[in-house]
Amino acid sequence: MSDNHQPIGVFDSGVGGLTVVKELRRLLPQEKIVYFGDTARVPYGTKSRETIIKFSLENILFLLRQEAKIIVIACNTSSSLALPAIKQHFRIPIIGVISPGAKESVYATKNKRVGVIGTRATVSSRAYEEEIHKLDRTIKVIGQSCPLFVPLVEEGWLKGEIVLGIVGNYLKPLKDAGIDTLILGCTHYPLLREAITRAMGKKVILIDSAKQLAMEVKGILEQDGLLNKNRQRQISNLVCYVTDKSGPFKQLGERFLGERLDHIYEVQNV
């Protein structure tokens, strides 16, 4: 049985899911959060569905051992390919980023043309399209994979003519298609918001599902009586585990989160 003092468990293939943690901490500052970044096996977006499901199951089991009361899949690739196959096998609530982003895009679009950018695995899964069409089948969904966006973000290349050229090249088909709403289908992509806005124009609404996801997590915890009633926030409320500490997780994570990361631990066996 879960209780309200147990942590929220969040996992991603790497560091990008900390953009989701940032929204959870903003909306639910009193909650403890355990973050798991599978940095030894990143990226997930180039791997097979079977491998992604295997990794996702292992990540969930790790977070359950940390006594998580709800699990958030902050990885778009895992949310699109693994979540539908595994969520029925657990009693604990498990929520991904696809559904919240899809819902928000349906509410936002006026011309019923929605773009989705993400990894090749996320875009080819058509998971966002399926979720959007559950709500409105008249909406046209156009997907575009942007494999260079993640390395740009992780190298800190967020501005400049080279970045604008790459972003503009990837997004040209979506601009030509006349979309008025664009889902940022990868947790890294919000850091490229400025370049994406310059490429698409200010009238195109950018959907970052992290905010809507945080609201859904709060709703589930309220419904199940699992909200932490303690109103005080402490930095120690966030603990991060990674499968490979050799990469720049701390540096990148602090950039994504907007605060210091003081509790990072490496785990050898998931």
Side-chain angles (χ1 to χ4, degrees):
M1 294 292 291
S2 299
D3 67 56
N4 56 10
H5 296 293
Q6 291 174 232
I8 296 171
V10 182
F11 83 79
D12 187 18
S13 58
V15 68
L18 287 171
T19 57
V20 172
V21 171
K22 181 177 182 178
E23 290 301 324
L24 287 169
R25 285 172 69 74
R26 183 187 62 81
L27 188 63
L28 300 167
Q30 74 280 13
E31 294 289 345
K32 299 176 183 176
I33 298 177
V34 174
Y35 181 83
F36 180 78
D38 194 6
T39 49
R41 304 188 293 197
V42 68
Y44 281 12
T46 58
K47 294 178 172 63
S48 70
R49 178 177 179 271
E50 291 73 22
T51 297
I52 292 164
I53 290 174
K54 176 180 180 291
F55 289 174
S56 300
L57 279 169
E58 291 171 350
N59 299 345
I60 290 171
L61 292 173
F62 175 84
L63 290 172
L64 289 178
R65 291 196 294 273
Q66 313 312 308
E67 300 186 330
K69 60 186 175 183
I70 184 172
I71 290 177
V72 176
I73 302 180
C75 174
N76 277 266
T77 303
S78 287
S79 294
S80 59
L81 294 177
L83 182 58
I86 63 179
K87 63 180 178 181
Q88 68 270 22
H89 297 297
F90 296 92
R91 292 184 179 180
I92 188 172
I94 302 177
I95 182 171
V97 290
I98 303 295
S99 180
K103 288 177 184 176
E104 193 173 353
S105 72
V106 170
Y107 300 144
T109 184
K110 297 295 188 293
N111 71 0
K112 295 186 181 291
R113 288 177 173 265
V114 174
V116 178
I117 54 175
T119 66
R120 288 191 178 97
T122 296
V123 172
S124 64
S125 75
R126 303 179 74 173
Y128 276 106
E129 182 176 357
E130 290 177 9
E131 287 297 321
I132 289 170
H133 285 167
K134 287 178 183 177
L135 300 171
D136 188 341
R137 295 201 62 82
T138 67
I139 293 176
K140 182 176 178 57
V141 182
I142 303 101
Q144 176 65 47
S145 62
C146 305
L148 287 181
F149 281 15
V150 168
L152 283 176
V153 170
E154 296 200 348
E155 290 297 324
W157 287 46
L158 307 179
K159 299 179 181 180
E161 291 305 315
I162 293 175
V163 174
L164 289 173
I166 292 170
V167 170
N169 186 62
Y170 275 127
L171 299 186
K172 187 177 185 303
L174 300 178
K175 188 175 180 66
D176 292 345
I179 65 167
D180 71 348
T181 304
L182 178 61
I183 297 173
L184 307 182
C186 175
T187 50
H188 283 66
Y189 293 3
L191 277 77
L192 286 169
R193 178 180 289 271
E194 183 179 327
I196 292 170
T197 296
R198 286 188 62 178
M200 296 302 300
K202 293 183 179 180
K203 291 184 179 180
V204 174
I205 299 169
L206 304 185
I207 303 295
D208 174 7
S209 59
K211 293 180 180 179
Q212 185 66 28
L213 173 62
M215 292 176 62
E216 292 203 16
V217 169
K218 181 181 180 182
I220 292 170
L221 294 179
E222 285 178 333
Q223 179 181 318
D224 294 348
L226 294 175
L227 272 179
N228 191 336
K229 304 300 183 183
N230 183 359
R231 294 298 177 186
Q232 293 184 342
R233 172 179 171 175
Q234 300 177 358
I235 296 298
S236 60
N237 276 1
L238 173 61
V239 177
C240 297
Y241 293 92
V242 295
T243 48
D244 184 354
K245 209 174 179 180
S246 63
F249 181 88
K250 180 176 172 62
Q251 177 186 355
L252 279 172
E254 290 179 346
R255 187 192 308 162
F256 280 40
L257 193 61
E259 61 182 80
R260 283 177 57 88
L261 285 173
D262 294 319
H263 304 279
I264 305 173
Y265 306 96
E266 185 173 1
V267 292
Q268 296 295 330
N269 298 305
V270 182

